[in-house]
Amino acid sequence: MISEVFVMDAVGLNAAASSVTSNMWQGDEDKFIQTFNVGVGEIHIADVEFDASSQTYLGQVSVTISDPQTGDLLGAVTVVLNVEALF
């Protein structure tokens, strides 16, 4: 069900990824803008889209990552779901 996972730092750069990605900066995309730029505890659920490279329908869920002691925002994480596998 999970196709990919990646973690972004405080400026939207990929800090970790489950596979090689061609786009290292997510700072201009909704997965970062609608989470990190909004604040602690934010969740962004993207529309399901067809991915030509994998020939599957994928959805993305992104959430902020914060320091549990200070509450400071550290980044965000995105989980890419294979929507077809959910049914």
PDB file of all heavy atoms in Angstrom, residues 5 11 14 16 18 23 36 40 46-47 49 53-55 58-59 61-63 67-68 70 74 79 82 84 86-87:
ATOM      1  N   VAL A   5       7.999   7.003   0.898  1.00  0.00           N
ATOM      2  CA  VAL A   5       7.960   7.871   2.070  1.00  0.00           C
ATOM      3  C   VAL A   5       9.164   8.799   1.971  1.00  0.00           C
ATOM      4  O   VAL A   5      10.258   8.352   1.634  1.00  0.00           O
ATOM      5  CB  VAL A   5       8.056   7.074   3.388  1.00  0.00           C
ATOM      6  CG1 VAL A   5       8.091   8.004   4.589  1.00  0.00           C
ATOM      7  CG2 VAL A   5       6.912   6.082   3.512  1.00  0.00           C
ATOM      8  N   VAL A  11      13.319  23.681   5.333  1.00  0.00           N
ATOM      9  CA  VAL A  11      13.270  24.495   4.113  1.00  0.00           C
ATOM     10  C   VAL A  11      12.693  23.733   2.923  1.00  0.00           C
ATOM     11  O   VAL A  11      12.675  24.229   1.814  1.00  0.00           O
ATOM     12  CB  VAL A  11      14.653  25.098   3.754  1.00  0.00           C
ATOM     13  CG1 VAL A  11      15.106  26.087   4.815  1.00  0.00           C
ATOM     14  CG2 VAL A  11      15.683  24.015   3.525  1.00  0.00           C
ATOM     15  N   ASN A  14      14.599  17.334   0.816  1.00  0.00           N
ATOM     16  CA  ASN A  14      14.467  15.947   1.253  1.00  0.00           C
ATOM     17  C   ASN A  14      15.609  15.610   2.205  1.00  0.00           C
ATOM     18  O   ASN A  14      16.775  15.726   1.854  1.00  0.00           O
ATOM     19  CB  ASN A  14      14.509  14.994   0.064  1.00  0.00           C
ATOM     20  CG  ASN A  14      13.259  15.057  -0.774  1.00  0.00           C
ATOM     21  OD1 ASN A  14      12.298  15.719  -0.424  1.00  0.00           O
ATOM     22  ND2 ASN A  14      13.259  14.360  -1.894  1.00  0.00           N
ATOM     23  N   ALA A  16      15.365  12.560   3.978  1.00  0.00           N
ATOM     24  CA  ALA A  16      15.396  11.102   3.893  1.00  0.00           C
ATOM     25  C   ALA A  16      14.313  10.669   2.917  1.00  0.00           C
ATOM     26  O   ALA A  16      13.286  11.340   2.779  1.00  0.00           O
ATOM     27  CB  ALA A  16      15.145  10.470   5.256  1.00  0.00           C
ATOM     28  N   SER A  18      12.587   6.881   0.950  1.00  0.00           N
ATOM     29  CA  SER A  18      12.594   5.421   0.853  1.00  0.00           C
ATOM     30  C   SER A  18      13.129   4.937  -0.489  1.00  0.00           C
ATOM     31  O   SER A  18      13.478   3.772  -0.626  1.00  0.00           O
ATOM     32  CB  SER A  18      11.189   4.873   1.070  1.00  0.00           C
ATOM     33  OG  SER A  18      10.312   5.377   0.073  1.00  0.00           O
ATOM     34  N   ASN A  23      13.335  14.843  -7.544  1.00  0.00           N
ATOM     35  CA  ASN A  23      13.036  16.169  -7.020  1.00  0.00           C
ATOM     36  C   ASN A  23      13.482  16.229  -5.563  1.00  0.00           C
ATOM     37  O   ASN A  23      12.839  15.665  -4.691  1.00  0.00           O
ATOM     38  CB  ASN A  23      11.533  16.448  -7.141  1.00  0.00           C
ATOM     39  CG  ASN A  23      11.161  17.845  -6.725  1.00  0.00           C
ATOM     40  OD1 ASN A  23      12.007  18.654  -6.381  1.00  0.00           O
ATOM     41  ND2 ASN A  23       9.881  18.135  -6.758  1.00  0.00           N
ATOM     42  N   PHE A  36       4.044  22.388   6.747  1.00  0.00           N
ATOM     43  CA  PHE A  36       5.066  23.129   7.488  1.00  0.00           C
ATOM     44  C   PHE A  36       4.750  24.616   7.586  1.00  0.00           C
ATOM     45  O   PHE A  36       4.874  25.220   8.642  1.00  0.00           O
ATOM     46  CB  PHE A  36       6.443  22.926   6.853  1.00  0.00           C
ATOM     47  CG  PHE A  36       7.558  23.523   7.662  1.00  0.00           C
ATOM     48  CD1 PHE A  36       8.129  22.809   8.699  1.00  0.00           C
ATOM     49  CD2 PHE A  36       8.016  24.804   7.411  1.00  0.00           C
ATOM     50  CE1 PHE A  36       9.148  23.357   9.466  1.00  0.00           C
ATOM     51  CE2 PHE A  36       9.029  25.365   8.170  1.00  0.00           C
ATOM     52  CZ  PHE A  36       9.597  24.635   9.199  1.00  0.00           C
ATOM     53  N   VAL A  40       2.213  23.436  13.474  1.00  0.00           N
ATOM     54  CA  VAL A  40       2.256  22.151  14.164  1.00  0.00           C
ATOM     55  C   VAL A  40       0.915  21.428  14.034  1.00  0.00           C
ATOM     56  O   VAL A  40      -0.144  22.032  14.163  1.00  0.00           O
ATOM     57  CB  VAL A  40       2.598  22.354  15.657  1.00  0.00           C
ATOM     58  CG1 VAL A  40       2.515  21.048  16.426  1.00  0.00           C
ATOM     59  CG2 VAL A  40       3.987  22.968  15.801  1.00  0.00           C
ATOM     60  N   ALA A  46      -3.552  15.093  -0.449  1.00  0.00           N
ATOM     61  CA  ALA A  46      -3.583  15.513  -1.851  1.00  0.00           C
ATOM     62  C   ALA A  46      -4.619  14.707  -2.630  1.00  0.00           C
ATOM     63  O   ALA A  46      -5.002  13.599  -2.225  1.00  0.00           O
ATOM     64  CB  ALA A  46      -2.205  15.322  -2.476  1.00  0.00           C
ATOM     65  N   ASP A  47      -5.050  15.260  -3.740  1.00  0.00           N
ATOM     66  CA  ASP A  47      -5.949  14.539  -4.636  1.00  0.00           C
ATOM     67  C   ASP A  47      -5.241  13.309  -5.195  1.00  0.00           C
ATOM     68  O   ASP A  47      -4.019  13.317  -5.403  1.00  0.00           O
ATOM     69  CB  ASP A  47      -6.373  15.425  -5.809  1.00  0.00           C
ATOM     70  CG  ASP A  47      -7.265  16.576  -5.386  1.00  0.00           C
ATOM     71  OD1 ASP A  47      -7.932  16.459  -4.331  1.00  0.00           O
ATOM     72  OD2 ASP A  47      -7.298  17.588  -6.103  1.00  0.00           O
ATOM     73  N   GLU A  49      -3.944  10.979  -7.964  1.00  0.00           N
ATOM     74  CA  GLU A  49      -3.501  11.237  -9.332  1.00  0.00           C
ATOM     75  C   GLU A  49      -2.933   9.969  -9.941  1.00  0.00           C
ATOM     76  O   GLU A  49      -2.375   9.120  -9.239  1.00  0.00           O
ATOM     77  CB  GLU A  49      -2.437  12.332  -9.363  1.00  0.00           C
ATOM     78  CG  GLU A  49      -2.947  13.678  -8.905  1.00  0.00           C
ATOM     79  CD  GLU A  49      -1.872  14.754  -8.962  1.00  0.00           C
ATOM     80  OE1 GLU A  49      -0.691  14.430  -9.231  1.00  0.00           O
ATOM     81  OE2 GLU A  49      -2.214  15.917  -8.727  1.00  0.00           O
ATOM     82  N   SER A  53       4.670   6.795 -14.414  1.00  0.00           N
ATOM     83  CA  SER A  53       5.869   5.962 -14.263  1.00  0.00           C
ATOM     84  C   SER A  53       5.563   4.612 -13.614  1.00  0.00           C
ATOM     85  O   SER A  53       6.179   3.616 -13.946  1.00  0.00           O
ATOM     86  CB  SER A  53       6.946   6.700 -13.474  1.00  0.00           C
ATOM     87  OG  SER A  53       6.513   6.948 -12.158  1.00  0.00           O
ATOM     88  N   SER A  54       4.612   4.588 -12.684  1.00  0.00           N
ATOM     89  CA  SER A  54       4.267   3.322 -12.025  1.00  0.00           C
ATOM     90  C   SER A  54       2.967   2.717 -12.555  1.00  0.00           C
ATOM     91  O   SER A  54       2.596   1.619 -12.169  1.00  0.00           O
ATOM     92  CB  SER A  54       4.141   3.530 -10.517  1.00  0.00           C
ATOM     93  OG  SER A  54       3.062   4.402 -10.226  1.00  0.00           O
ATOM     94  N   GLN A  55       2.275   3.481 -13.411  1.00  0.00           N
ATOM     95  CA  GLN A  55       1.000   3.037 -13.987  1.00  0.00           C
ATOM     96  C   GLN A  55      -0.032   2.708 -12.910  1.00  0.00           C
ATOM     97  O   GLN A  55      -0.798   1.758 -13.029  1.00  0.00           O
ATOM     98  CB  GLN A  55       1.207   1.827 -14.917  1.00  0.00           C
ATOM     99  CG  GLN A  55       2.009   2.149 -16.162  1.00  0.00           C
ATOM    100  CD  GLN A  55       1.247   3.072 -17.106  1.00  0.00           C
ATOM    101  OE1 GLN A  55       0.204   2.714 -17.611  1.00  0.00           O
ATOM    102  NE2 GLN A  55       1.773   4.263 -17.318  1.00  0.00           N
ATOM    103  N   LEU A  58      -2.058   7.127  -7.278  1.00  0.00           N
ATOM    104  CA  LEU A  58      -1.386   7.372  -6.015  1.00  0.00           C
ATOM    105  C   LEU A  58      -2.012   8.556  -5.286  1.00  0.00           C
ATOM    106  O   LEU A  58      -2.489   9.499  -5.920  1.00  0.00           O
ATOM    107  CB  LEU A  58       0.098   7.676  -6.251  1.00  0.00           C
ATOM    108  CG  LEU A  58       0.918   6.611  -6.967  1.00  0.00           C
ATOM    109  CD1 LEU A  58       2.332   7.117  -7.227  1.00  0.00           C
ATOM    110  CD2 LEU A  58       0.954   5.315  -6.167  1.00  0.00           C
ATOM    111  N   GLY A  59      -1.992   8.481  -3.973  1.00  0.00           N
ATOM    112  CA  GLY A  59      -2.423   9.591  -3.129  1.00  0.00           C
ATOM    113  C   GLY A  59      -1.317   9.906  -2.139  1.00  0.00           C
ATOM    114  O   GLY A  59      -0.511   9.040  -1.797  1.00  0.00           O
ATOM    115  N   VAL A  61      -0.311  11.726   1.634  1.00  0.00           N
ATOM    116  CA  VAL A  61      -0.707  12.276   2.926  1.00  0.00           C
ATOM    117  C   VAL A  61       0.553  12.851   3.565  1.00  0.00           C
ATOM    118  O   VAL A  61       1.559  12.154   3.690  1.00  0.00           O
ATOM    119  CB  VAL A  61      -1.325  11.202   3.843  1.00  0.00           C
ATOM    120  CG1 VAL A  61      -1.685  11.788   5.196  1.00  0.00           C
ATOM    121  CG2 VAL A  61      -2.536  10.561   3.177  1.00  0.00           C
ATOM    122  N   SER A  62       0.496  14.125   3.927  1.00  0.00           N
ATOM    123  CA  SER A  62       1.654  14.805   4.513  1.00  0.00           C
ATOM    124  C   SER A  62       1.283  15.387   5.869  1.00  0.00           C
ATOM    125  O   SER A  62       0.168  15.882   6.045  1.00  0.00           O
ATOM    126  CB  SER A  62       2.126  15.926   3.588  1.00  0.00           C
ATOM    127  OG  SER A  62       2.422  15.424   2.298  1.00  0.00           O
ATOM    128  N   VAL A  63       2.226  15.329   6.801  1.00  0.00           N
ATOM    129  CA  VAL A  63       2.015  15.882   8.142  1.00  0.00           C
ATOM    130  C   VAL A  63       3.292  16.572   8.603  1.00  0.00           C
ATOM    131  O   VAL A  63       4.389  16.247   8.151  1.00  0.00           O
ATOM    132  CB  VAL A  63       1.605  14.804   9.172  1.00  0.00           C
ATOM    133  CG1 VAL A  63       0.297  14.156   8.800  1.00  0.00           C
ATOM    134  CG2 VAL A  63       2.685  13.758   9.315  1.00  0.00           C
ATOM    135  N   ASP A  67       9.325  18.952  17.287  1.00  0.00           N
ATOM    136  CA  ASP A  67      10.061  18.480  18.457  1.00  0.00           C
ATOM    137  C   ASP A  67       9.053  18.258  19.584  1.00  0.00           C
ATOM    138  O   ASP A  67       8.330  19.176  19.964  1.00  0.00           O
ATOM    139  CB  ASP A  67      11.091  19.532  18.864  1.00  0.00           C
ATOM    140  CG  ASP A  67      11.965  19.081  20.017  1.00  0.00           C
ATOM    141  OD1 ASP A  67      11.408  18.663  21.069  1.00  0.00           O
ATOM    142  OD2 ASP A  67      13.193  19.162  19.883  1.00  0.00           O
ATOM    143  N   PRO A  68       8.972  17.055  20.134  1.00  0.00           N
ATOM    144  CA  PRO A  68       7.970  16.773  21.175  1.00  0.00           C
ATOM    145  C   PRO A  68       8.186  17.567  22.467  1.00  0.00           C
ATOM    146  O   PRO A  68       7.243  17.776  23.220  1.00  0.00           O
ATOM    147  CB  PRO A  68       8.101  15.275  21.419  1.00  0.00           C
ATOM    148  CG  PRO A  68       9.425  14.890  20.890  1.00  0.00           C
ATOM    149  CD  PRO A  68       9.777  15.878  19.825  1.00  0.00           C
ATOM    150  N   THR A  70       9.836  20.810  22.663  1.00  0.00           N
ATOM    151  CA  THR A  70       9.726  22.260  22.490  1.00  0.00           C
ATOM    152  C   THR A  70       8.549  22.684  21.623  1.00  0.00           C
ATOM    153  O   THR A  70       8.123  23.825  21.665  1.00  0.00           O
ATOM    154  CB  THR A  70      11.004  22.830  21.847  1.00  0.00           C
ATOM    155  OG1 THR A  70      11.117  22.318  20.498  1.00  0.00           O
ATOM    156  CG2 THR A  70      12.232  22.479  22.663  1.00  0.00           C
ATOM    157  N   LEU A  74      10.121  21.000  12.779  1.00  0.00           N
ATOM    158  CA  LEU A  74      11.374  20.485  12.246  1.00  0.00           C
ATOM    159  C   LEU A  74      11.296  20.227  10.751  1.00  0.00           C
ATOM    160  O   LEU A  74      12.283  20.324  10.045  1.00  0.00           O
ATOM    161  CB  LEU A  74      11.761  19.192  12.964  1.00  0.00           C
ATOM    162  CG  LEU A  74      11.905  19.283  14.472  1.00  0.00           C
ATOM    163  CD1 LEU A  74      12.152  17.902  15.061  1.00  0.00           C
ATOM    164  CD2 LEU A  74      13.019  20.248  14.836  1.00  0.00           C
ATOM    165  N   VAL A  79       3.733  10.451   2.949  1.00  0.00           N
ATOM    166  CA  VAL A  79       3.557   9.035   2.663  1.00  0.00           C
ATOM    167  C   VAL A  79       2.746   8.950   1.376  1.00  0.00           C
ATOM    168  O   VAL A  79       1.658   9.533   1.289  1.00  0.00           O
ATOM    169  CB  VAL A  79       2.835   8.306   3.814  1.00  0.00           C
ATOM    170  CG1 VAL A  79       2.608   6.840   3.466  1.00  0.00           C
ATOM    171  CG2 VAL A  79       3.621   8.444   5.103  1.00  0.00           C
ATOM    172  N   ASN A  82      -0.459   3.728  -2.631  1.00  0.00           N
ATOM    173  CA  ASN A  82      -0.981   3.112  -3.840  1.00  0.00           C
ATOM    174  C   ASN A  82      -2.479   2.912  -3.601  1.00  0.00           C
ATOM    175  O   ASN A  82      -2.879   1.987  -2.900  1.00  0.00           O
ATOM    176  CB  ASN A  82      -0.278   1.793  -4.115  1.00  0.00           C
ATOM    177  CG  ASN A  82      -0.812   1.090  -5.337  1.00  0.00           C
ATOM    178  OD1 ASN A  82      -1.948   1.316  -5.787  1.00  0.00           O
ATOM    179  ND2 ASN A  82      -0.008   0.209  -5.894  1.00  0.00           N
ATOM    180  N   GLU A  84      -4.879   1.960  -5.466  1.00  0.00           N
ATOM    181  CA  GLU A  84      -5.455   0.724  -6.011  1.00  0.00           C
ATOM    182  C   GLU A  84      -5.298  -0.439  -5.041  1.00  0.00           C
ATOM    183  O   GLU A  84      -6.158  -1.322  -4.978  1.00  0.00           O
ATOM    184  CB  GLU A  84      -4.803   0.390  -7.351  1.00  0.00           C
ATOM    185  CG  GLU A  84      -5.129   1.420  -8.419  1.00  0.00           C
ATOM    186  CD  GLU A  84      -4.380   1.168  -9.726  1.00  0.00           C
ATOM    187  OE1 GLU A  84      -3.784   0.078  -9.894  1.00  0.00           O
ATOM    188  OE2 GLU A  84      -4.390   2.058 -10.578  1.00  0.00           O
ATOM    189  N   LEU A  86      -5.598  -0.294  -1.909  1.00  0.00           N
ATOM    190  CA  LEU A  86      -6.511  -0.140  -0.792  1.00  0.00           C
ATOM    191  C   LEU A  86      -7.876  -0.798  -1.037  1.00  0.00           C
ATOM    192  O   LEU A  86      -8.640  -0.999  -0.115  1.00  0.00           O
ATOM    193  CB  LEU A  86      -6.717   1.357  -0.479  1.00  0.00           C
ATOM    194  CG  LEU A  86      -5.461   2.125  -0.065  1.00  0.00           C
ATOM    195  CD1 LEU A  86      -5.774   3.600   0.057  1.00  0.00           C
ATOM    196  CD2 LEU A  86      -4.921   1.589   1.256  1.00  0.00           C
ATOM    197  N   PHE A  87      -8.126  -1.132  -2.290  1.00  0.00           N
ATOM    198  CA  PHE A  87      -9.437  -1.713  -2.629  1.00  0.00           C
ATOM    199  C   PHE A  87      -9.353  -3.166  -2.981  1.00  0.00           C
ATOM    200  O   PHE A  87      -8.442  -3.723  -3.365  1.00  0.00           O
ATOM    201  CB  PHE A  87     -10.082  -0.949  -3.793  1.00  0.00           C
ATOM    202  CG  PHE A  87     -10.370   0.463  -3.432  1.00  0.00           C
ATOM    203  CD1 PHE A  87      -9.523   1.500  -3.824  1.00  0.00           C
ATOM    204  CD2 PHE A  87     -11.480   0.791  -2.685  1.00  0.00           C
ATOM    205  CE1 PHE A  87      -9.784   2.815  -3.495  1.00  0.00           C
ATOM    206  CE2 PHE A  87     -11.753   2.101  -2.342  1.00  0.00           C
ATOM    207  CZ  PHE A  87     -10.899   3.123  -2.757  1.00  0.00           C
TER     208      PHE A  87
END
